[in-house]
Amino acid sequence: MNLPAAHRRVLISGASRGLGRALAQAFATNGDRVAVHYGSREEEARATLASLAGEGHVLVGGDLSEPAGAADVARRATEALGGLDVLVNNAAVNLPHPLADTSYEDWAALWHQHVSVNLLATANLSHLAARRMIDQGTGGRIVNIGSRGAFRGEPDHPAYGATKAAVHALGQSLAVSLAPYGIAVASVAPGFFGTERVAHRLSGDEGAAIRAQSPFGRAGTADEIAAAVLWLASPVAEWASGTVLDLNGASHLRT
C-alpha cells in the first residue's frame, strides 16, 4: 500500500463550522485537498472553503440522512477530487430529549433523526469510501468522530450517546474487515470542547462547571481534536486501527 502523508484526497462530512471547519483546515494545512461537505449551512461552508490553505478544495452539499443522498455526496466528492484517500465522519445531530420531559412522538422522531445522521450516514459513507479505496488499491483511512458520552451516558441526549457508542463499535468492526486492503479505521471520543455552537454555555452560568470536568480546568479546543484526527489519518498511524481515542482532558477515565 502507498498512502501518502500529504496530497491526499479527503472528504469531511459536516464541515461547515465548528469541529468540521477545524478538521478541514488541519488537512488543508497538511497539504491535502479537501471536500467540504455541508447539509444546510451553505454560507458557513463557503466560509470554511475560503479559509483553507492551498488549492483544489471543493464544496459538496447534500442530505446524508438518506442512502441516496450519501451516495450522491460520495460520488461528487470523489469525482471532484479524482479519488478518495481519507474519510472523516463528522456530521452529527445532538438535540436534547430527556425522557421525563419528552413526548413519545417527539422521542421517536428524535431517535430516528439521530440514528439516520449519526449512525446510518456514517455507515453508508464508510461503505462508499472504502469501496473506492479498495478499487484504488492504495489503502486509505477512515476516522469517525465519536464521543465521551458513549461511555459515561447522556441523560438529556440519550440517542446521541447511544449512536456514538454504535459508531465506535462500527469503526472497530470495519477496522478488522478492511485491514487486508490497507485501510485503517479509528475513532476519537472527545469530551466537551469549545466551538461557536457552545460558546454561550462556556461563557454562561454553567461555564465553570464545564471547565471543572477536567483537572486541567478548561474545555478542549476543536484544533486539539483535529490534530488527533490528522494523526490517525496519517500513514504512521496504521497500527492504531481499531482504537477509540479518548480526548477529554482526563475528565472521564476508563480501562
Side-chain angles (χ1 to χ4, degrees):
M1 302 301 173
N2 189 29
L3 181 72
H7 307 295
R8 296 166 300 182
R9 298 153 301 182
V10 182
L11 169 59
I12 302 173
S13 69
S16 60
R17 62 177 183 167
L19 177 57
R21 179 175 292 175
L23 289 164
Q25 291 170 340
F27 278 96
T29 300
N30 186 62
D32 300 312
R33 290 190 294 126
V34 179
V36 175
H37 164 262
Y38 69 93
S40 59
R41 296 183 174 90
E42 180 176 355
E43 184 176 348
E44 290 172 302
R46 290 193 179 279
T48 295
L49 187 70
S51 74
L52 301 185
E55 299 178 345
H57 312 298
V58 298
L59 198 67
V60 183
D63 181 6
L64 299 179
S65 67
E66 296 293 335
D72 182 62
V73 166
R75 177 187 60 79
R76 288 187 288 123
T78 299
E79 289 177 354
L81 295 175
L84 195 60
D85 303 301
V86 177
L87 168 66
V88 182
N89 283 306
N90 176 64
V93 294
N94 185 12
L95 301 172
H97 50 284
L99 189 150
D101 302 321
T102 304
S103 70
Y104 177 69
E105 291 75 16
D106 289 343
W107 174 270
L110 284 163
W111 269 88
H112 179 80
Q113 184 179 3
H114 281 77
V115 170
S116 295
V117 177
N118 297 5
L119 178 56
L120 296 181
T122 295
N124 291 338
L125 278 182
S126 295
H127 180 280
L128 294 159
R131 287 300 314 176
R132 178 68 191 201
M133 294 172 190
I134 290 170
D135 292 343
Q136 290 169 176
T138 54
R141 296 289 184 269
I142 298 174
V143 184
N144 301 318
I145 307 301
S147 174
R148 174 186 66 178
F151 304 113
R152 73 168 197 166
E154 291 284 355
D156 292 335
H157 304 77
Y160 181 79
T163 51
K164 289 301 187 179
V167 164
H168 296 166
L170 169 66
Q172 292 182 320
S173 295
L174 295 182
V176 177
S177 66
L178 296 177
Y181 304 98
I183 302 170
V185 185
S187 302
V188 295
F192 196 101
F193 61 93
T195 65
E196 63 269 34
R197 184 177 62 84
V198 297
H200 67 285
R201 295 181 62 187
L202 284 171
S203 61
D205 293 340
E206 64 177 326
I210 290 172
R211 288 186 286 273
Q213 292 175 5
S214 167
F216 289 101
R218 66 174 179 87
T221 69
D223 288 340
E224 288 174 315
I225 312 303
V229 172
L230 185 65
W231 179 78
L232 286 170
S234 71
V236 298
E238 181 173 271
W239 216 237
S241 190
T243 196
V244 179
L245 180 60
D246 291 322
L247 298 170
N248 63 48
S251 65
H252 182 76
L253 304 178
R254 60 191 180 94
T255 57

